[in-house]
Amino acid sequence: MIPEALGGILVGGGLIQLGLITAANVRRLTGQNRQTDLALELLKIELETMRDLRRQKALGGAPWNGWRKFCVAKKVTECNDICSFHLVPHDKKSLPNFRPGQYLTFQLDIPGQAKPIVRCYSLSDGPRSDLYRVTIKRITARDKETPAGLVSSFFHEQVKEGDILDVKAPSGQFFLDPAGSGGLVLIGSGIGVTPVLSMLNTLVAQASRREIWFFHGIRNRAEHAMKKHLEAIAREHPNVHLHVCASKPDPDYALGRDYQHEGRISVDLLKTLLPSNNFDYYLCGPGPMMQGVTEGLKEWGVPEKKIHYETFGPSSVKKIAAVVAPGAAAPTGYAVQFKKSGKTVNWCGDHTSLLDLAEANGITIPSGCRAGSCGTCQIAVLSGEVAYIEKSDFQTDPGTRLTCIGAPKSDVVLDA
């Protein structure tokens, strides 16, 4: 009995000893793992710091507050009624980087105007430390009710090389992250090609290998800006697929040579060309085109988070549902009183913003970017509450709101 008991004690003691050794090894390995995790975390922080330093070096400068003087270094006619302006800083200091798709805001002293006019124009090239480029289409008069564009005409007819312009730093919420991954569909119709061209040029300059489908909508030869440039990119970069859609091509414009499709850009066209709908979509152009394409993409099963668009002008993609929580009904039935104009109208949810509502009722409110960046449409709110549909890049004065991205959350009285 004693030997068996002793053997049991010895075996039990051996198991205890083994357990102690195993526990010690686990603690040691756990400590090593923790040290490894800590080392990896420190390495991650160090790499991120190095990336930040490279980013700061690449920026070459810092965004500025207010207005900065720029000289028109070059004025280039791209095609009929479309002209590019190369702008260099008058102080000759380096320029900050920008996110491709953003725009510049200009303050212009135009003869015959009582006060400076503010307008925004998309940057049309990739970031550089020495100059910015904007490309502007002259809006010509269609009839007595649709006069020529005041600012676009000023740029085309009066701004010349050597002139000095007041410019705000690049801004805007429509932009592409060049460091992202996955395939892209870039769609630009008419002069709306400028921000997506900036995206394309940036990606090409960085030797991106992302699959890129570039759709350019034009009417005819007169609107075919950047033709040789885009054709050269498509020829030299196999990952870039260029498709020009001409709605009214000239008789001597050859299908397959000068353009690839007759007609307007549509989701039906995308379905015939794209291998799937699994892309990020960036589009800019006239409101009806963007409305049709965005609705078509959603019907095709493209998640809303993958559809990005630049809105401009009074006719653009409806976005009023963003005023309330997802899934909730847009608020309606609020009375909006424009005090100076002597009009009170009902907010029924059919308009994209208070600015849109005002224009639909014959009330003039000065406007510029229509995206919450320039501050031109700032109006005092005398009573009630105004919410923003989109993020604002402009710091308003106390008691005022931007009408271009504002919607009522109650009955409101505006000083307009």
Side-chain angles (χ1 to χ4, degrees), residues 6-61:
L6 180 61
I9 293 170
L10 290 173
V11 171
L15 290 173
I16 293 171
Q17 183 67 24
L18 179 60
L20 291 173
I21 293 172
T22 301
N25 286 335
V26 168
R27 286 194 297 271
R28 178 174 57 81
L29 291 173
T30 301
Q32 289 177 349
N33 288 337
R34 287 175 179 170
Q35 289 179 352
T36 301
D37 290 343
L38 179 60
L40 289 173
E41 186 64 27
L42 291 173
L43 179 60
K44 182 179 178 181
I45 293 172
E46 185 177 348
L47 289 172
E48 186 59 35
T49 301
M50 292 173 64
R51 281 194 290 266
D52 285 341
L53 290 173
R54 285 199 296 269
R55 288 192 202 104
Q56 292 174 11
K57 185 177 180 180
L59 291 179

Side-chain angles (χ1 to χ4, degrees), residues 134-145:
V134 294
T135 303
I136 300 171
K137 178 181 179 179
R138 173 168 43 196
I139 306 301
T140 56
R142 296 180 182 177
D143 48 48
K144 292 182 179 179
E145 296 181 356

Side-chain angles (χ1 to χ4, degrees), residues 257-293:
R257 182 195 70 191
D258 298 305
Y259 66 100
Q260 285 69 48
H261 310 278
E262 186 168 351
R264 292 182 171 86
I265 300 171
S266 68
V267 173
D268 287 338
L269 176 63
L270 301 185
K271 289 179 179 179
T272 64
L273 296 172
L274 302 181
S276 74
N277 67 354
N278 188 26
F279 290 85
D280 273 290
Y281 299 81
Y282 292 81
L283 54 150
C284 183
M289 182 279 289
M290 291 199 296
Q291 191 79 44
V293 172

Side-chain angles (χ1 to χ4, degrees), residues 211-222:
E211 184 180 5
I212 304 168
W213 293 77
F214 194 94
F215 292 86
H216 185 191
I218 63 172
R219 280 191 293 184
N220 48 39
R221 180 198 303 273

Side-chain angles (χ1 to χ4, degrees), residues 6 31 51 64 70 73 98 138 152 205 218 238 268 278 309 325 352 357 370 402:
L6 180 61
R51 281 194 290 266
W64 63 94
F70 277 74
F98 62 87
R138 173 168 43 196
S152 64
I218 63 172
D268 287 338
N278 188 26
Y309 51 83
T352 59
L357 177 69
R370 293 181 176 266
L402 303 177

